[in-house]
Amino acid sequence: MSGGEVAGLIVAVFWAILVSFLAVVLVRLAQTLKQATRLVADVTEQAVPLLGEATEAVRSAHTQLDRVDNITADVQEVTANASALSSTVASTFGGPLVKVAAFGYGVRRAVGLRGREDDGGGARSRADAARGKVIVGTAIPAGRRGSRRTRGKG
């Protein structure tokens, strides 16, 4: 065998190993593509019903949102009507009711003052002083003068 034949034989063996390696790679690639195709088919089978259910859920949610929007609009209208009614009632009855209340207070006050004048004022003014009311011309009791000075110290 000559040098050229040995070189040809080495190249042929190398070529056979390369072809065998490429055949193994192609077979594995084909298996991977088959599994990927099967996976895509399974996902498609499961995704289509899920997408249908999701579409139905979105439609239902949209319907419910439309109902809530209508309810919100009705509540807003009722609130506006209640506010208008409240302001109408306040303007219609508010002024006269305040006047009636003020008149009633004035009558009670006048009747109370008239009752004091009938008593002579002696017993009533001492009771008022004991409750802490200021009456012009009366002196502060001695016990109260000292308590104010010591209160802040402690």
Side-chain angles (χ1 to χ4, degrees):
M1 264 208 240
S2 69
E5 291 176 350
V6 172
L9 185 62
I10 291 174
V11 169
V13 169
F14 178 73
W15 189 255
I17 292 173
L18 181 65
V19 169
S20 299
F21 177 73
L22 288 176
V24 169
V25 169
L26 287 176
V27 167
R28 290 198 179 180
L29 181 64
Q31 289 174 351
T32 304
L33 286 175
K34 283 181 186 178
Q35 288 177 354
T37 303
R38 208 173 309 137
L39 179 65
V40 168
D42 290 344
V43 168
T44 303
E45 282 180 25
Q46 294 175 2
V48 170
L50 287 176
L51 288 175
E53 291 175 8
T55 303
E56 185 61 33
V58 168
R59 284 184 186 144
S60 175
H62 182 67
T63 302
Q64 295 299 326
L65 285 175
D66 285 343
R67 288 179 184 168
V68 168
D69 189 35
N70 290 336
I71 290 170
T72 304
D74 292 343
V75 167
Q76 187 176 10
E77 184 178 339
V78 167
T79 303
N81 290 341
S83 176
L85 179 64
S86 172
S87 64
T88 301
V89 167
S91 65
T92 303
F93 296 115
L97 284 178
V98 168
K99 290 177 183 176
V100 167
F103 178 74
Y105 176 75
V107 168
R108 279 187 308 216
R109 178 85 178 191
V111 168
L113 289 177
R114 187 163 183 238
R116 280 190 183 170
E117 290 172 3
D118 291 342
D119 282 347
R124 228 17 174 162
S125 54
R126 273 186 244 119
D128 287 342
R131 279 187 267 153
K133 290 188 178 179
V134 176
I135 299 174
V136 177
T138 61
I140 297 175
R144 295 193 81 158
R145 277 190 222 138
S147 66
R148 285 200 173 161
R149 289 185 189 145
T150 59
R151 201 179 276 171
K153 294 180 182 176

